[in-house]
Amino acid sequence: MMGNKINQIPPVHQINQITNAGALKLQSASLQLQKTADTTSGVQFADLLQQEAQKAQSVQFSKHAARRVQERGINMTDNLLNDLNQAVQKARAKGARDVVIIGESGAFIVNVPNNVVVTTMSGTEMKENIFTNIDSAVLM
């Protein structure tokens, strides 16, 4: 019977617990490094780690969406990215999975669980299109 346990996949809740424990260990290590880091060396490792963690929580753009942003001349400013991140957080809080975020710059289709902008379109293109396979909308 011992051999069967090796081949079994752990339940999802156990995997989530492992992931959460790993995140807590990373935070703890970051705090320890921050306490012991040499402040005269400029940018601290803990600061860099925090910046990378924030980037990971920010929306990412698929290759397709990045290409559409360029083709359609959408100006991606820091304010627009912040607004997108806030809209995704609101959608996540309501349980959304695939959301269209509509603002002055255009529309962004976002897969909320993966934090990925799937595609985008300019304001003029929105008038000509139908949004399908979405479960929520957020107006910015």
Side-chain angles (χ1 to χ4, degrees):
M1 284 290 170
M2 293 283 283
N4 290 340
K5 283 190 172 185
I6 294 173
N7 295 329
Q8 292 178 350
I9 298 173
V12 173
H13 72 277
Q14 286 181 345
I15 293 172
N16 288 338
Q17 289 173 351
I18 292 167
T19 303
N20 293 340
L24 290 173
K25 288 178 185 177
L26 186 59
Q27 287 175 348
S28 176
S30 173
L31 289 173
Q32 290 298 328
L33 284 172
Q34 190 172 11
K35 289 179 184 176
T36 60
D38 179 14
T39 57
T40 61
S41 66
V43 179
Q44 296 179 3
F45 174 76
D47 294 334
L48 292 174
L49 183 63
Q50 182 66 26
Q51 289 172 0
E52 290 301 314
Q54 288 174 347
K55 284 181 190 177
Q57 294 172 356
S58 178
V59 292
Q60 305 296 311
F61 286 75
S62 68
K63 289 180 184 179
H64 172 80
R67 191 169 49 245
R68 293 292 182 255
V69 165
Q70 289 180 333
E71 290 172 356
R72 294 167 175 161
I74 298 171
N75 186 16
M76 294 304 301
T77 63
D78 287 340
N79 285 339
L80 179 55
L81 285 173
N82 287 335
D83 290 346
L84 279 174
N85 282 317
Q86 289 176 1
V88 170
Q89 290 303 324
K90 288 178 184 177
R92 179 175 287 114
K94 295 290 185 177
R97 296 191 51 76
D98 293 296
V99 63
V100 60
I101 300 171
I102 302 171
E104 292 177 16
S105 300
F108 301 84
I109 309 295
V110 181
N111 178 268
V112 176
N114 294 322
N115 238 21
V116 174
V117 177
V118 178
T119 194
T120 185
M121 59 190 70
S122 66
T124 56
E125 292 172 312
M126 284 191 295
K127 295 175 186 174
E128 304 167 7
N129 282 303
I130 296 172
F131 299 106
T132 59
N133 297 326
I134 61 165
D135 59 29
S136 302
V138 178
L139 302 177
M140 289 193 299

